[in-house]
Amino acid sequence: MHPLLLRTRARLRDAIKPLGEGAVGALTVGILRTTRYFDPIKTANLFGRIARLIGPMMREQRIGRANLTAAFPEKSPEEIETILTGVWDNLGRVGAEFAHLDHIWEHDPAHPQDSRIEIPPRTHELFAQLQLDGKPALIFASHLGNWEMPALAAVAHGLDAAILYRRPNIASADRIIQEIRAVKMGTLIPAGRDAPFRLAEALQKGQHVAMLVDQYLTNGVEVTFFGRKTKANPMLARLLRQVECPIHGARIIRLPGHRFRAEISEEVKPVRDATGQIDIQGTMQAITSVIEGWIREYPDQWLWLHRRWR
């Protein structure tokens, strides 16, 4: 193609891009605001059905199928497709539930059997320990079940928490998402150049720092995940080098009957090198192995749709 035509096409694309982003942002804002007016359970059912219908038409379906086939070579094609259907259903439900984050956490310790959130006794013990030990802590989570809800649990039960999150690229969508998250999610720290400093500062103040750690990072450290090499974000382990404190995992599993189970893992011991210093790669491998175990329990609730291996 002629260089002039290439430059013209590039300029046209640059001119149109903000319009497209604006439309997507407006649509996102409209959907989130509208969804809040409807029953959260019925809306989650609807969004789950829509995601199951539309998902298989998208390119992420191929990514998810390839990921699952490599991770579970013992499963039949039919089993893989069943898991994928569950993945889309879960994603749709997470989208619907996001609009109701300010009132979705329903747990009454006096009547746990009637609560929407189920909390096992051991998780109660570990949570109390985190609250009362006078120490900061690092909490990791993954895109499993409803991955927005662990932050709700911290605030709902009185844990001083700072949450690392990734801002959407579209400003209008970012604004409403921050509005929804800020209601009951503690201190929100956007990912960026100053995030490590702000997170370390939160730990030094005695806060509990939480982050999602299960996505691919180009400049990350190498770990093995489902038998294959991939890259993990080393931020959590690097923070641990600055402020030594307990590490725990948190997950919110989707249960039948529109209920959830909240769980905190036992303390994950960091790996150390010969000098006693925190081993960044080894510690991230220990965390990644915990997450793999979670996913093997509930493969249809993890977000298989992104390129975790590259």
Side-chain angles (χ1 to χ4, degrees):
M1 186 178 290
H2 193 278
L4 179 60
L5 290 176
L6 286 172
R7 288 196 297 272
T8 302
R9 188 172 71 175
R11 288 169 183 164
L12 182 61
R13 184 177 62 246
D14 291 343
I16 292 174
K17 185 178 179 182
L19 298 176
E21 290 182 348
V24 172
L27 179 62
T28 302
V29 170
I31 290 173
L32 287 172
R33 292 198 187 281
T34 302
T35 301
R36 290 178 59 80
Y37 289 102
F38 295 93
D39 179 82
I41 291 177
K42 291 180 180 178
T43 307
N45 288 339
L46 174 62
F47 277 40
R49 286 196 298 271
I50 292 172
R52 293 197 307 270
L53 178 66
I54 296 176
M57 305 176 191
M58 303 177 70
R59 70 181 183 88
E60 283 79 7
Q61 176 81 352
R62 295 193 298 274
I63 295 172
R65 184 182 293 119
N67 286 341
L68 280 162
T69 301
F72 296 104
E74 73 281 4
K75 293 190 182 296
S76 68
E78 292 76 21
E79 289 174 309
I80 296 296
E81 296 305 312
T82 298
I83 293 172
L84 266 177
T85 298
V87 170
W88 286 112
D89 181 80
N90 185 67
L91 181 59
R93 291 176 183 276
V94 170
E97 290 155 0
F98 187 85
H100 298 276
L101 280 181
D102 56 343
H103 58 268
I104 199 172
W105 189 267
E106 300 173 3
H107 177 76
D108 182 358
H111 302 92
Q113 70 280 0
D114 299 324
S115 301
R116 193 174 182 195
I117 311 297
E118 171 187 301
I119 303 178
R122 182 54 179 159
T123 290
H124 273 297
E125 293 173 6
L126 290 167
F127 196 91
Q129 178 180 307
L130 287 169
Q131 279 184 308
L132 302 173
D133 64 8
K135 302 176 184 177
L138 284 159
I139 312 293
F140 65 88
S142 68
H143 290 82
L144 182 73
N146 188 314
W147 52 84
E148 296 284 350
M149 290 177 69
L152 297 179
V155 174
H157 296 271
L159 194 70
D160 189 8
I163 314 297
L164 178 69
Y165 79 101
R166 181 179 177 182
R167 279 179 167 156
N169 295 327
I170 301 169
S172 55
D174 180 34
R175 283 193 296 272
I176 188 172
I177 287 172
Q178 283 196 66
E179 287 174 16
I180 292 172
R181 280 180 168 150
V183 176
K184 291 187 177 181
M185 280 196 169
T187 304
L188 295 173
I189 298 177
R193 290 184 178 180
D194 66 339
F197 171 79
R198 294 182 63 187
L199 293 170
E201 189 175 52
L203 288 171
Q204 289 161 358
K205 292 177 179 177
Q207 286 185 286
H208 300 78
V209 167
M211 65 187 74
L212 291 158
V213 297
D214 61 336
Q215 289 190 307
Y216 184 91
L217 182 70
T218 302
N219 297 321
V221 295
E222 188 175 272
V223 294
T224 300
F225 186 56
F226 282 89
R228 290 192 288 169
K229 299 295 183 182
T230 185
K231 296 289 184 70
N233 189 333
M235 186 185 297
L236 187 149
R238 286 177 177 166
L239 286 169
L240 192 64
R241 273 192 175 179
Q242 297 180 59
V243 182
E244 289 215 21
C245 60
I247 309 170
H248 292 269
R251 64 176 183 173
I252 306 291
I253 298 301
R254 196 175 298 281
L255 300 176
H258 309 288
R259 301 179 72 245
F260 300 92
R261 183 170 66 249
E263 295 180 344
I264 297 175
S265 78
E266 299 293 333
E267 183 176 349
V268 177
K269 296 296 184 182
V271 177
R272 298 180 184 274
D273 61 22
T275 66
Q277 189 176 38
I278 300 296
D279 183 314
I280 302 294
Q281 187 277 334
T283 298
M284 293 313 304
Q285 180 62 67
I287 290 168
T288 299
S289 296
V290 171
I291 292 172
E292 179 179 328
W294 290 350
I295 297 167
R296 287 187 180 278
E297 286 185 78
Y298 301 96
D300 59 335
Q301 294 192 34
W302 191 62
L303 193 63
W304 292 95
L305 308 175
H306 66 287
R307 295 177 60 216
R308 187 66 179 92
W309 297 272
R310 305 182 191 183

